[in-house]
Amino acid sequence: MAWALPATVFFLLFAIVPLILVAVLSFTSWSGLGDPVFNGLDNWTKLFDDPVMIKSLWLSVLLTGLGVVVQTPLSILLGVWAAGSQRNRAVLSAVFFVPLLLSATAVSILWRSLLDPNFGVPSQMKWLFGDGNLFGNQSTAIGVLVFVAAWQFTPLHTLIYQGATRAIPEVLYQAAAIDGAGRVRQFFHVTLPQLRNAIITSMILMIVGGLTTFDTVLILTQGGPGTDTTISAYYMYDKAFKGFDYGTGAAVALLLVVVATVISLIVVRVSGFDKMAGTQEGVS
């Protein structure tokens, strides 16, 4: 078991200890100066009485769900395509993966400029985008956040599906072809079932990433208009670093950890991922 010691120490130092400290801080009142003062459940009571907090949780779950719905089918199709041997695939794949190399901040600044209501693309195409201000109402602002997240992170999940597709034994396709299955039937009856582990892994990454998204919202919408795109991570920043209420900010952070853990466990449980055998049944 000595081989597991470095990883265990690393996990304790950088995951468990900070989590415990955040949990302790969530029961205190602290402005960043002086010593934290224990205030019992005051932060948690304020939190659940705050309609903005409840709304931010709903928006976080909504954005995460839309991200999964948009990115999962797109990533699967692109991943399966990229795993093939078609002509120019390598060149097109290299171009497609460029957004993955950019930081979330750079991507957000780029799209903020491109979609600026004064000089961006929408202002020049008002016949399509109305008044050109996509950040001016909740539905279009959420649409922009979902689109930008998909543009940046779909390549990451495509890589997962590309690797998983290449690991599928060729004998399964040969057997399906002998049975008369075409490409579409092979995709639904061979490829998709063999990708089930990759699908769950990818979805959990999307859920955790979606619930903790912050920089994109900070740069693109700053939680607006009003509080219409104030997701929980941005709400935590607003409370802790703009309102100097670190106790409440810690409570929001801890709540996000709990929500992300519960949703991930539900996905694993509902999908049967925890009881799955290997995906190589019937190969030999």
Side-chain angles (χ1 to χ4, degrees), residues 98-122:
V98 167
L100 194 57
L101 305 177
L102 304 176
S103 70
T105 302
V107 168
S108 302
I109 293 174
L110 169 69
W111 282 105
R112 179 73 204 188
S113 300
L114 287 173
L115 301 177
D116 189 280
N118 298 309
F119 55 81
V121 174

Side-chain angles (χ1 to χ4, degrees), residues 71-99:
Q71 293 179 45
T72 297
L74 199 57
S75 302
I76 291 175
L77 291 174
L78 287 170
V80 172
W81 172 80
S85 56
Q86 53 273 57
R87 201 173 180 182
N88 298 324
R89 175 186 53 80
V91 175
L92 292 173
S93 294
V95 173
F96 174 71
F97 289 130
V98 167

